[in-house]
Amino acid sequence: MPQTNSTDIAIVGAGVTGTSILISTIENWIAKEKKGSITIIEKSNFLGPGLPFNPEQPKTLRINDPFNASDIVAQEDYSFFHWLKLENDKGNPEVTVLGVGDKTLDDRFPPRAVYGKYCEWAFKKAVTKAIYHGISIHLLHKTEVVDVLKRDENWELHLNNNMTIKASNLILATGHMPSDHYVEYENTPGFFATPWQDLSHIPAHEAVIVFGSGLSAIDTAKKLHAQAHTGKIYFVSQSGALPAVKPPRHNQTVALQFLKRENVDKPGLTLKEYLHLFQQELNLHTTTPIDFEKKLTTQLDPKSWLEKNIALAEKGVVRTWQLLLDEIYFYSLPYAWKHLSDTDRATLMNHYFGPYLKWAAGTPLANAKEILALLESGQLEIIRGAPQIHTTEKGFELEFSNPPRKIVAKYAINGTNMGHNIDRNPLLNKMRRRKFIAKASQGGIKVDPFTYEVIDPQNEKEETHANLLSAGPTIFGSNPAVYAIEASAFAGRDIGKAQASILPHSLFKQSSKASDTTNLGIGQINRIRCA
Ligand SMILES: Cc1cc2nc3c(=O)[nH]c(=O)nc-3n(C[C@H](O)[C@H](O)[C@H](O)COP(=O)(O)OP(=O)(O)OC[C@H]3O[C@@H](n4cnc5c(N)ncnc54)[C@H](O)[C@@H]3O)c2cc1C
């Protein structure tokens, strides 16, 4: 007989988003002296880090946003810096090496593996606190939710271990989807669909093609470099453009004038109007006029680009208009996006978003220096263009037309951005086919981007489900500003608060406590991560 448990809230996915929601819900319940049950289900070994922050990845891979913009929840005793201080005081060599000062680090971009350990700590801390306060927590890792059904007003989750969970509220924090590009090569020998899988069996001397030249491509080169790869590495991308470079330290900020919320959160807003406001904003902050269309699409050759940007970053300089681009990600774009037509959204995504990210989401200085050294040594080459790709017994043969050129490599790695097709996650695919969720026009799950409530595709008025939420990269098409730890923390804050305020009316309407046999006690918390 399959075992069934009941829970007030089920969270699927224990990456940064699921963890932020968990912590925030627990903290809100404690503050309101509420007691309920939460179940969190994660298919990997780790509770907390999710895909980007696996604690076992090479230490040379760094976080791309600074440590002080990377708190899993906005609460001092859960902050990344708080954890760094604790570990520094304990003499943890992974942390002491980072140069932890009173308020800052020597370099604002510590390793992603170290960040992953902070996520695990924050997860564990919240669970320990919850149990102490009588909140029932049920943790399932190495467990996948394979299907979801609706029974009365509850969700019934089917797990790959034959267990069933009945949940009054369901939160989908299933995270990243694989890239939408080069899907046709995923079963070709020598092709790696993502750089985040094990690359160690690529022979060190072999040439490797990396599709893309953004942050993921940079990490791929760094990963290969860390495993002492000596063969040629080719970055191949349409633009051939590398991201901007972020200095180790700076404290400049900029306030939005034209693009602030009240100017863009307007029904009927068009992309043309938004771009006009954008140009006005640029003019306000720069002494010499910038033609941003030109700026977004032209770039120096990669070596000169890096040399110039490294020199600026070494002086701690961030251009004002770059700060502006950074600022609009959270504080303007989501409000404008809400009102844009599907056609405008498509134009924004296809024409502007890629170059925008290269400028706004830069790479840390240390990464840029490593890439420059690889370029200077001739091991790395960046090729611009859209080649014809042939797969032969020699591997991948890429033919470029302008100028004519052919490159061959046995191995190719997809280093383009993560994708947005919900059908690439088997659970979301099933839920879409059951008509519980729908695709947003640019991918991801269709939700109300400000409450995270999932739109019910069976509701003619496009109203939301009362008890189904989703946040993180899974909702990209509903809000493009979801690819950041800060975005996950915003979701955690808002969902945690909302879950506390709806108690006890809807949350407890059908639920019962999680079974004692599956509820972990404090003594068991050390074992939440499997060896
Ligand atoms: C390589 C990379 C590096 C990044 N670096 C930074 C950075 O330095 N700074 C920054 O601010 N942002 C960074 N980001 C942005 C990042 O997207 C978000 O910050 C955040 O990590 C998203 O977390 P998540 O929990 O939503 O997704 P994920 O990390 O993808 O977590 C989702 C979890 O759900 C689980 N899951 C999925 N389906 C199921 C299922 N059916 N059953 C059970 N479990 C399931 C997965 O195993 C996974 O652990 C990076 C993104 C990538 C891809």
Side-chain angles (χ1 to χ4, degrees), residues 331-362:
Y331 303 108
S332 176
L333 191 58
Y335 301 109
W337 183 259
K338 183 167 93 171
H339 301 294
L340 294 179
S341 67
D342 282 351
T343 316
D344 275 351
R345 286 180 176 189
T347 311
L348 180 54
M349 274 305 132
N350 299 335
H351 187 65
Y352 297 102
F353 205 62
Y356 161 76
L357 282 184
K358 291 222 168 161
W359 282 105

Side-chain angles (χ1 to χ4, degrees), residues 20-318:
S20 184
I21 294 168
L22 175 79
I23 298 174
S24 184
T25 305
I26 289 171
E27 289 294 329
N28 275 291
W29 280 9
I30 292 172
K32 295 194 169 190
E33 297 184 14
K34 310 275 186 194
K35 296 193 193 333
S37 56
I38 307 174
T39 302
I40 186 157
I41 309 125
E42 165 57 51
K43 70 178 176 193
S44 79
N45 273 0
F46 301 102
L47 291 167
L51 177 134
F53 308 111
N54 179 329
E56 288 169 0
Q57 65 192 301
K59 294 264 169 22
T60 52
L61 299 182
R62 293 159 175 274
I63 57 172
N64 291 317
D65 276 340
F67 75 94
N68 49 353
S70 301
D71 297 337
I72 208 159
V73 287
Q75 194 176 310
E76 162 48 29
D77 61 340
Y78 278 101
S79 73
F80 185 28
F81 194 64
H82 177 76
W83 178 80
L84 287 166
K85 290 280 265 184
L86 290 177
E87 292 301 305
N88 194 55
D89 292 348
K90 277 194 234 158
N92 176 347
E94 285 182 331
V95 173
T96 51
V97 75
L98 302 174
V100 182
D102 251 6
K103 289 201 171 106
T104 191
L105 299 182
D106 279 353
D107 187 330
R108 297 182 302 152
F109 305 97
R112 287 220 287 270
V114 171
Y115 184 81
K117 290 189 179 159
Y118 152 69
C119 296
E120 292 189 307
W121 166 84
F123 188 103
K124 218 184 269 186
K125 172 174 164 142
V127 170
T128 311
K129 225 171 145 180
I131 292 171
Y132 178 79
H133 286 271
I135 295 168
S136 179
I137 302 286
H138 184 188
L139 308 173
L140 291 162
H141 70 330
K142 287 174 119 180
T143 307
E144 185 172 357
V145 180
V146 290
D147 201 0
V148 168
L149 302 175
K150 204 165 184 188
R151 300 263 184 239
D152 305 321
E153 288 310 305
N154 293 311
W155 298 101
E156 189 178 275
L157 281 64
H158 291 260
L159 313 185
N160 63 344
N161 60 7
N162 236 358
M163 222 174 114
T164 304
I165 294 172
K166 198 168 91 179
S168 308
N169 292 270
L170 172 59
I171 302 172
L172 300 169
T174 51
H176 300 93
M177 269 92 56
S179 169
D180 299 329
H181 304 290
Y182 305 102
V183 177
E184 63 274 33
Y185 301 107
E186 283 182 0
N187 294 321
T188 307
F191 187 79
F192 291 78
T194 124
W196 317 120
Q197 61 199 96
D198 182 13
L199 307 178
S200 65
H201 44 281
I202 298 180
H205 64 278
E206 286 285 355
V208 177
I209 290 164
V210 178
F211 292 112
S213 58
L215 295 178
S216 296
I218 288 179
D219 282 341
T220 313
K222 284 172 65 72
K223 233 179 136 177
L224 289 169
H225 191 48
Q227 65 188 48
H229 191 80
T230 52
K232 184 97 183 178
I233 303 169
Y234 300 100
F235 283 0
V236 174
S237 86
Q238 288 259 21
S239 68
L242 289 166
V245 180
K246 291 181 172 175
R249 278 171 295 283
H250 89 92
N251 51 12
Q252 304 143 59
T253 52
V254 67
L256 296 177
Q257 300 292 329
F258 288 95
L259 289 169
K260 60 187 171 191
R261 180 177 177 176
E262 50 263 50
N263 293 344
V264 302
D265 193 353
K266 288 193 171 149
L269 180 84
T270 64
L271 181 59
K272 200 168 162 208
E273 287 164 349
Y274 191 71
L275 294 175
H276 180 66
L277 289 170
F278 184 71
Q279 186 66 60
Q280 285 180 291
E281 187 82 61
L282 272 182
N283 295 346
L284 187 72
H285 294 282
T286 49
T287 40
T288 36
I290 289 178
D291 177 347
F292 79 88
E293 287 265 1
K294 221 162 141 199
K295 199 89 195 164
L296 285 178
T297 46
T298 51
Q299 211 181 48
L300 298 170
D301 83 278
K303 221 159 121 292
S304 322
W305 163 264
L306 277 181
E307 281 162 356
K308 188 173 168 189
N309 279 272
I310 286 172
L312 285 173
E314 275 178 332
K315 288 190 213 138
V317 175
V318 184

